Amino acid sequence: MNWIARTFSAAALGLATTGALVTGLGAGEAQAAAPELDPRISGTQGLIGYWKVDLEASTYPKTAPLAAIRSFAYSEDGKILVSFATKGADGKLTFGHWAATPDGTPAIEYHVDANSYPYNVVSWKLVGPGRLELVVARNGGSYTCIYQLSEDGETLNYSYGDTNIVYRRWDLMD
């Protein structure tokens, strides 16, 4: 067997094993109930998924980007992984990610402009129904942002200073 076939065989075995571990199911077993939500992320379920910027509804003090997306996913140890990408008015693509518990514990943000070096220190916490406060710190300074999820869970406002970015839930189809 050549190295390509061995690599794909090993990958397939890894996926099959991982799938069995994740689902915990053997052949013919009924699907188990979903595990309970980690209490550290209680109140954040509405964020999980993909969001796309609504440029017409957003307010930028300077030039608006051409496009922006944001995603939220569960991660390890009660953390939520936040990933973002923006195509600026100049056509430059910027993106990054961070994973933090919504309890104010600091975490590191990584950004394409910093390669594999930490870019910001972020911390966020739930401060009301569908409302999270995010503190972003870099080089001795900091600013506070607010995420506010609409009651119907279809709109997410992300605001700081004079900037108010309106995201709509996105199904990746447009």
Side-chain angles (χ1 to χ4, degrees):
M1 187 182 303
N2 68 29
W3 70 271
I4 295 173
R6 283 193 307 271
T7 301
F8 283 111
S9 294
L13 176 61
L15 287 174
T17 304
T18 301
L21 290 173
V22 169
T23 62
L25 300 177
E29 290 183 39
Q31 184 171 352
E36 289 186 32
L37 189 65
D38 187 311
R40 294 173 287 189
I41 54 177
S42 180
T44 60
Q45 301 92 316
L47 289 175
I48 303 303
Y50 291 93
W51 300 86
K52 183 178 179 183
V53 71
D54 179 338
L55 291 169
E56 292 180 11
S58 299
T59 306
Y60 294 89
K62 296 182 181 176
T63 307
L66 299 174
I69 59 170
R70 194 164 286 260
S71 70
F72 298 84
Y74 296 124
S75 189
E76 83 289 351
D77 298 328
K79 294 177 183 174
I80 295 177
L81 173 65
V82 180
S83 300
F84 55 89
T86 302
K87 186 162 191 113
D90 60 359
K92 181 181 177 188
L93 182 63
T94 61
F95 50 92
H97 65 273
W98 49 272
T101 52
D103 64 2
T105 302
I108 301 298
E109 176 186 320
Y110 293 91
H111 195 279
V112 66
D113 289 343
N115 297 312
S116 63
Y117 295 101
Y119 189 73
N120 289 323
V121 175
V122 297
S123 62
W124 66 337
K125 59 186 171 184
L126 195 61
V127 294
R131 188 177 183 87
L132 290 114
E133 179 181 88
L134 171 69
V135 176
V136 180
R138 180 175 57 218
N139 299 329
S142 69
Y143 60 97
T144 301
C145 310
I146 298 294
Y147 285 104
Q148 180 65 60
L149 184 63
S150 65
E151 284 188 35
D152 68 2
E154 296 299 316
T155 303
L156 178 65
N157 285 316
Y158 176 60
S159 58
Y160 55 93
D162 294 333
T163 302
N164 184 49
I165 305 170
V166 177
Y167 288 94
R168 307 287 182 202
R169 192 166 290 284
W170 186 39
D171 64 4
L172 290 109
M173 293 305 295
D174 59 353

